[in-house]
């Protein structure tokens, strides 16, 4: 059932994002309707008077939205939002939603923290208190959950929209742990269900281990059967087999569904089975003998959920606590991706190519500024200023987006471990993020570059001026009519493992996009649009691609020249040539649709040749990957990431990092809330 | 000069990301070399003995990397990493890097916080202390910075790799503020440069205002000239004209370069000019009369930098503090994107389509589990289990990636305001992020779906079994040979504003990818690869696209059926039809290259028709956008985002949010460090 809720989670998140659209899209209009302009002030009394006469039956369920600058936009809609809401969801779901949301809003325990951040400890305590309060409200009985899947999905989505830590905490204990036991179908496990639903115990689902995630065959925790005592002995052979990433295990779980390899006295192994193992004493919340259990520490998000780890030292459990039928196992937690060079190598090549571009442009700029200070105001100097502006305006978007995608790819390739705050992929991402917007949103900046190119193109069309710029980045346009006539022929020697093939393709692409953008702009203007609207309408599919393609061409050209100059030591030529070709082909492959559309590519082979060349280059660079990283990586002290240290001992470093955190094995300061201050299911139901 | 450093920033970030690759790629190998296996243990004494004989001259500059499991991989490299490092950078740059990194590493002030987070206040204090310490080390004289741009770029990159907050803090004060004054070229401003370089004053660059960013014409701060006193009167007309997002202004800046519209007594306006305005008293760090200055609060990242706001109430400054030449203004800070529906509307459509898919699949799953509990183990039930597994395995990747991209798009569309923690786009992103990896990395999950389809395809090829599944998602494959013969013809009525056109294209696409993936897999296996390697090699360009295309087809088909059923109220048909078509066409447009490559599309018109249809649909949905968000948005209490509130008063809500934070206008608790505990530039230089 987990995956369905995951789908629900995404769907629920998207509306959140959509709500933001409400804020974004109309910004200039809201801005025009300035605060202080009485015509735009919302008068609550007028609103009430106007709302009263319309006694629509659904007004209570779906009350009017607040007045304000959005009213005018709401009035433009082609449909009634109440009607659509009722079409999408039944009245009973809408009622459940309303009940949950208004209950949470009116309960001070669910007040959003005002100013300042919650400490992790406090946030985890709050999540537990809220988990308990959810039981007290008893929004949906277990019976209802099973008979009405949509109600359950609505219930989890509502909790999640409020806080996904809380929803996950509830889901993992009650639904994942609970339903696994329930579906084992044995009466002897019924006691656990009853204890779970009365909050006497708290559950978690312990499959994932430190050094392997989804691969259930690789799970190394063992459960040896001892026929003498009719017990299983649960054991973790070493720290890499520690259960890791388990939600609720960090601070609250008293019982875990532990997945282990079942071994019989004769030595036969019967594969993975699930066992109910007591982790903590519900009275004291201290660990049971033989169990080492702790909290993984801060994550990039969902910090209200206590993800934890546990190692077992020959922990004995009664035979009955083997679940005799576990149903389909869907793994949860971390996953370390198998060897997949293609995923990160292009970003490594991009790091080299963009670093070279950035440095060479920096030198150009410094020369430009030196002349400014010398009060050189020649025509060439002005032209150089425009050219540099065009290059930096597209350079920031290209570099910041490449970094953003590269960091996210690394983060995902590291699985759960990339989500742990101590590994600092979150810091890299968050610190890079403002580059996408400051000094102007990336899309706005790209328009500066396309305007520069379109200006040159128009000038040339009118007066036949030569394409010539101080840094020579646009000189190739002089041959645009020849270039536009070119077609991809494939390389002569089979395979296109050299950057000259993508360079030729990029020249065609820029000419094509320039011609197309010019025509589109012309057409928009002739249809009566003003300059601003015309340019905006050309942006999405024309000018934006034009600016990026032009910059990529320039980066590829500079890196090609750099890696093919005579001064490159012979022993470095092969590796640098491959980096140059990989970056060029990989960037180009993002434009394959345009290359086909414009007729530069035709037939299946062209596209396949590029893809095969990328894979071949990745495979050729595979053995050089670590050394290429060594060359440009900052020292360990600067990187400060256990999984990224130069010694490569990632699991050992990660394990040390986890254990070095403060209070990692300590009982939560709010343990008494879990064990002593008991509360009654449904005790607040009357207040709904 | 700012943009060049930005390029440098990205390039510097990518290596960080690259370093992580070191951790990721080799995971299985490191895992194989288990801790505890003596053959893989690194013996430091052996390492020392081995390193001694090789007395290479660059060993001091580029010392050996630590031993460990990566040694074997390093030995495989085709080149010497030392040689490449020396080719990429000159020895003097490498020496500067080494000096900076080892100095920081040996200075306890730069120790990374061990366990637990720094409070924002503490982090900002540390950043200031480190900023001061950088002056004491005097790594690079101002003269050096100007004469050797690469050294300056290296210097900023090194600081940035350590902490971009610190690099930005330094850059904004010394380089942006300093060089703007320097390039004004007047001797009368030399005093500011000298004070800046001796740390008597701290600068910031105050262009951006709350409700407009890069658009310099829209700046509303005024500077009225008073000839009687020979002063300018700096004034903020209202809160929307407050200087906003200014780095260093929050807590530390004593002086700001304020951009304002210059107005003469006669009423003439001379446009935007820059003025040096004193913000705080350097002795007490309290604001100057008429200046309201405060800290913006927590951001998603770079919290060591104090971004702030300021409003001026008729602040008088001497005539001389108008900069007579400001050079090119490059705006910094926030930017609110103009009206660009195409950017977010497809995500709104995706929220509707994926929400419907998720709910409908949840119902299917609940039925499946109900039968499991009834111990129904029929062949159909088993087949249903496989089909649901295939759908959920691709559903999580599609939904989590769509949410991730949508949230990031919203965050960027909101400019700087999206980067402010209180607006909670960071929370949405961080809470969604684990969905990309838990229960298995998205790429691994997609393989489950493609394996399901390839299995069916092989079965059919061998025995001619029918394509038939309980949820009917694969039944269309029965007609695969017909479908593969189809070509895009364009819709009959001109325009393809209906989901039936993309539905037909998707059917072709899935058949094509299935056939191609099958052939590729076959080919890989025949070349002698084992099953695991063969599948991995087919993943990138074949199976991954196959799984996503199959799921998108299923989502599109279900949403098409849902929005076109007879029970849809007539007044909702148009808007739902548009949402369905937009989601379908937008998703399909990501596969345009494949549609061309396989010959389904040919000629320029096919691709353009899809793009035009997407733009047309966005334009048709424009007026419905706010109402569509209203229908699915959670209440304000749940969303808890000032810029996303239902009342649409985004600037007013944002301003309130900023002012409601604790200690927003208060002097930093560590103010004496700035004003009293003075320190001497270069005082620690000897220790380098």
């Amino acid at each position: 059932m987990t995956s369905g809720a995951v789908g629900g989670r995404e769907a629920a998140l998207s509306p959140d994002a959509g709500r933001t659209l409400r804020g974004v899209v109309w910004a200039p209009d809201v801005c025009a309707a300035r605060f202080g302009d009485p015509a735009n002030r919302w008068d609550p009394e007028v609103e009430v008077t106007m709302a009263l006469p319309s006694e629509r039956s659904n007004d209570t369920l779906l009350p009017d939205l607040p007045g304000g600058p959005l009213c005018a936009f709401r009035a433009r809609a082609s449909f009634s939002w109440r009607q659509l809401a009722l079409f999408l969801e039944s009245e009973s779901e809408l009622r459940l939603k309303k009940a949950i949301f208004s209950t949470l809003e009116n309960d001070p325990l669910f007040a959003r923290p005002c100013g300042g951040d919650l400490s992790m400890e406090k946030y985890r305590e709050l999540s537990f208190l809220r988990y308990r309060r959810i039981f007290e409200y008893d929004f949906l009985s277990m019976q209802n959950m099973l008979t009405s899947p949509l109600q359950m999905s609505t219930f989890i989505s509502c909790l999640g929209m409020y806080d996904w830590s809380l929803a996950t905490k509830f889901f993992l204990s009650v639904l994942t742990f609970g339903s696994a036991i329930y579906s084992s179908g044995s009466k002897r496990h019924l006691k656990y269900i009853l204890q779970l639903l009365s909050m006497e115990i708290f559950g978690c689902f312990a499959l994932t281990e430190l050094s392997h995630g989804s691969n259930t065959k690789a799970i190394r925790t063992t459960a040896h059967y001892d026929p003498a005592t009719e017990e299983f002995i649960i054991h973790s052979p070493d720290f890499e087999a520690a259960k890791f990433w388990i939600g609720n295990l960090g601070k609250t779980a008293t019982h875990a569904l532990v997945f282990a390899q079942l071994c019989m006295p004769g030595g036969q192994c019967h594969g993975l089975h699930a066992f109910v193992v007591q982790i903590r004493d519900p009275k004291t919340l201290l660990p049971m003998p033989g169990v080492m259990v702790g909290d993984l520490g801060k994550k990039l998000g969902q910090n209200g959920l206590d993800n934890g780890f546990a190692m077992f030292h020959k922990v004995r459990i009664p035979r009955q606590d083997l679940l005799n039928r576990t149903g389909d196992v869907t793994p949860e937690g971390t996953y370390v991706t198998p060897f997949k060079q293609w995923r990160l190598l292009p970003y490594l090549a991009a790091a080299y190519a963009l670093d070279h571009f950035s440095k060479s442009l920096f030198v150009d700029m410094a020369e430009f500024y030196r002349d400014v200070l010398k009060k050189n105001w020649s025509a060439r100097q002005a032209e150089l200023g425009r050219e540099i502006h065009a290059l930096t305006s597209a350079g920031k978007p290209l570099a910041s987006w490449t970094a953003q995608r590269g960091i996210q790819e690394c983060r995902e390739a590291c699985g759960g471990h990339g989500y742990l705050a101590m590994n600092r992929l979150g810091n890299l991402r968050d610190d890079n993020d403002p580059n996408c917007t400051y000094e102007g949103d990336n899309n706005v900046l790209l328009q500066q570059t396309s305007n520069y190119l379109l200006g040159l193109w128009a000038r040339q069309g009118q007066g036949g001026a030569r394409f010539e710029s101080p840094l020579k980045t646009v000189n190739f346009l002089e041959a645009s009519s020849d270039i536009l006539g070119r077609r991809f022929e494939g390389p002569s020697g089979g395979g296109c493992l050299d950057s000259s093939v993508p360079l030729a393709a990029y020249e065609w692409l820029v000419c094509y996009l320039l011609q197309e953008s010019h025509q589109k702009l012309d057409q928009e203007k002739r249809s009566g649009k003003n300059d601003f609207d015309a340019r905006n309408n050309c942006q999405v599919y024309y000018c934006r691609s034009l600016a990026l393609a032009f910059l990529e061409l320039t980066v590829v050209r500079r890196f090609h020249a750099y890696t093919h100059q005579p001064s490159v030591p012979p022993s470095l030529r092969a590796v640098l040539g491959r980096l140059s070709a990989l970056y060029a082909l990989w960037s180009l492959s993002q434009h394959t649709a345009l290359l086909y559309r414009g007729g530069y590519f035709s037939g299946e082979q062209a596209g396949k040749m590029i893809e095969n060349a990328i894979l071949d280059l990745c495979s050729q660079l595979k053995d050089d990957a670590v050394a290429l990283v060594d060359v440009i990586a900052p020292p360990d002290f600067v990187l400060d990431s256990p999984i990224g240290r130069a010694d490569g001992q990632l699991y050992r470093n990660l394990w040390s990092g986890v254990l070095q955190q403060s209070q990692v094995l300590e009982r939560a300061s709010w343990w008494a809330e879990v064990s002593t201050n008991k509360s009654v299911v449904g005790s607040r139901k009357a207040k709904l």
Side-chain angles (χ1 to χ4, degrees), chain A residues 94-357:
Chain A
L94 288 173
R95 284 197 194 287
L96 177 62
K97 255 187 175 173
K98 196 179 151 74
I100 296 171
F101 283 147
S102 62
T103 303
L104 302 190
E105 184 162 5
N106 290 318
D107 185 338
L109 186 61
F110 289 84
R112 298 285 193 182
C114 187
D117 275 333
L118 285 171
S119 69
M120 195 177 76
E121 176 84 0
K122 192 75 199 159
Y123 187 13
R124 290 186 178 177
E125 176 180 0
L126 253 184
S127 278
F128 171 75
L129 297 176
R130 287 169 177 167
Y131 167 97
R132 193 167 69 185
R133 188 61 57 89
I134 299 292
F135 273 87
E136 292 171 5
Y137 285 121
D138 200 22
F139 291 107
L140 210 58
S141 68
M142 194 64 175
Q143 188 57 30
N144 264 351
M145 291 203 194
L146 292 173
T147 53
S148 172
L150 278 184
Q151 294 251 319
M152 173 164 126
S153 156
T154 301
F155 170 66
I156 292 289
S157 292
C158 286
L159 284 192
M161 279 190 254
Y162 174 73
D163 182 344
W164 278 108
S165 298
L166 178 63
T168 312
K169 192 166 189 64
F170 187 91
F171 192 88
L172 286 175
S173 177
V174 179
L175 299 173
T176 311
F177 176 82
S179 72
I181 292 179
Y182 182 66
S183 66
S184 83
S186 290
K187 290 220 176 90
R188 66 185 191 230
H189 299 132
L190 194 64
K191 64 172 181 196
Y192 290 125
I193 305 280
L194 297 175
Q195 288 173 329
L196 187 73
L197 295 180
S198 61
M199 289 183 287
E200 284 168 67
I201 65 171
F202 297 91
C204 66
F205 186 88
L207 172 68
T208 304
E209 297 180 358
L210 171 59
S211 68
H212 33 266
S214 304
N215 188 351
T216 50
K217 283 181 197 155
I219 295 293
R220 289 169 57 242
T221 302
T222 53
H224 279 92
Y225 186 59
D226 179 353
T229 58
E230 296 204 359
E231 287 171 324
F232 286 105
I233 306 162
I234 308 290
H235 187 69
S236 314
D238 58 45
F239 78 88
E240 290 192 12
K243 294 295 175 186
F244 212 78
W245 272 108
I246 315 305
N248 282 347
L249 183 57
K251 294 291 181 195
T252 31
T254 59
H255 288 68
L257 203 68
V258 172
F259 287 80
Q261 303 290 348
L262 172 55
C263 306
M264 297 308 280
Q268 319 95 300
C269 185
H270 293 277
L272 209 60
H273 283 70
F275 303 82
V276 182
V277 181
Q278 187 173 344
I279 300 293
R280 293 183 175 93
D281 178 348
K283 296 267 183 300
T284 62
L285 226 61
L286 289 169
M288 298 302 287
V291 178
M292 178 172 89
V293 58
D295 193 300
L296 282 189
K298 191 163 183 189
K299 296 164 292 172
L300 305 193
Q302 296 211 12
N303 279 303
L305 178 68
D306 49 322
N307 290 75
F309 63 88
M311 279 184 78
F312 302 100
H313 185 77
K314 299 186 179 160
V315 174
R316 289 178 168 262
I317 60 166
R319 183 179 58 82
Q320 291 77 4
D321 285 343
L322 160 67
L323 291 194
N324 41 348
R325 203 182 78 213
T326 54
D328 281 353
V329 170
T330 53
E332 170 258 334
T334 183
Y335 184 86
V336 178
T337 317
F339 188 93
K340 283 218 202 74
Q341 286 284 347
W342 61 271
R343 201 168 171 174
L344 301 177
L345 276 175
Y347 290 101
L348 184 58
Y352 272 83
L354 289 171
D355 186 48
H356 172 67
F357 176 71

Side-chain angles (χ1 to χ4, degrees), chain A residues 474-549:
Chain A
V474 302
N475 293 19
F476 74 102
L477 293 173
E478 194 66 22
S480 61
S481 44
D482 281 354
I483 291 172
L484 283 166
R486 284 187 208 153
R487 293 294 173 262
F488 177 75
E489 289 170 8
S492 49
C496 41
L497 305 180
D498 188 273
S499 28
S500 60
V501 173
L503 263 178
Y506 262 121
E507 289 194 347
W508 177 90
L509 183 65
V510 173
C511 291
Y512 176 72
L513 281 167
L514 197 41
Q515 177 186 267
E516 289 278 299
S517 303
H518 178 78
Q519 282 171 7
K520 174 86 177 165
L521 195 62
D522 207 48
Q523 189 186 321
E524 289 283 323
K525 279 185 185 164
R526 259 183 286 145
S527 78
K529 301 232 170 61
N530 64 37
D531 195 64
F532 183 79
D533 284 346
R535 285 192 191 272
N536 254 353
N537 287 348
C538 295
Q539 184 67 5
V540 203
Y541 289 114
Y542 294 90
C543 300
R544 190 176 176 281
S545 308
L546 168 63
L548 285 172

Side-chain angles (χ1 to χ4, degrees), chain A residues 355-541:
Chain A
D355 186 48
H356 172 67
F357 176 71
S358 150
K359 282 180 183 156
S360 70
L361 191 63
F362 202 78
V363 171
D364 295 332
M365 277 204 314
E367 277 166 29
F368 172 75
Y369 274 99
R370 223 172 290 157
D371 279 352
V372 167
L373 293 177
K374 284 184 200 155
K375 304 190 196 294
N376 169 353
W377 292 116
S378 67
R380 183 191 177 277
Q381 174 76 352
E383 193 55 45
L384 179 59
R386 278 190 287 274
E387 187 174 18
I388 287 178
H389 182 66
L391 293 172
T392 53
S393 295
K396 188 176 85 80
L398 180 67
S400 58
W401 279 332
T402 306
Q404 186 214 58
R405 281 155 45 206
I407 295 166
Q408 185 66 23
E409 198 67 56
C410 285
R411 139 73 192 104
E412 292 183 29
C414 292
H417 301 331
Y419 195 59
L420 213 53
M422 71 169 74
N423 287 319
R424 292 190 68 243
L425 282 155
N427 287 77
L428 290 184
R429 186 183 65 181
D430 293 343
D431 283 357
N432 172 63
D433 201 41
N435 296 334
C436 300
T437 45
Y438 75 85
E439 297 189 40
D441 170 273
N442 276 349
N443 285 299
V444 177
L445 285 179
L446 288 173
Q447 230 167 347
Q448 307 276 322
T449 308
S450 54
N451 286 349
Y452 167 76
L453 294 169
L454 286 165
L456 291 179
W457 191 259
R459 251 202 285 170
Q460 210 260 3
Q462 281 156 14
R466 286 181 66 83
F467 285 107
E468 213 172 1
S469 63
L471 301 176
K472 302 189 174 53
T473 61
V474 302
N475 293 19
F476 74 102
L477 293 173
E478 194 66 22
S480 61
S481 44
D482 281 354
I483 291 172
L484 283 166
R486 284 187 208 153
R487 293 294 173 262
F488 177 75
E489 289 170 8
S492 49
C496 41
L497 305 180
D498 188 273
S499 28
S500 60
V501 173
L503 263 178
Y506 262 121
E507 289 194 347
W508 177 90
L509 183 65
V510 173
C511 291
Y512 176 72
L513 281 167
L514 197 41
Q515 177 186 267
E516 289 278 299
S517 303
H518 178 78
Q519 282 171 7
K520 174 86 177 165
L521 195 62
D522 207 48
Q523 189 186 321
E524 289 283 323
K525 279 185 185 164
R526 259 183 286 145
S527 78
K529 301 232 170 61
N530 64 37
D531 195 64
F532 183 79
D533 284 346
R535 285 192 191 272
N536 254 353
N537 287 348
C538 295
Q539 184 67 5
V540 203
Y541 289 114

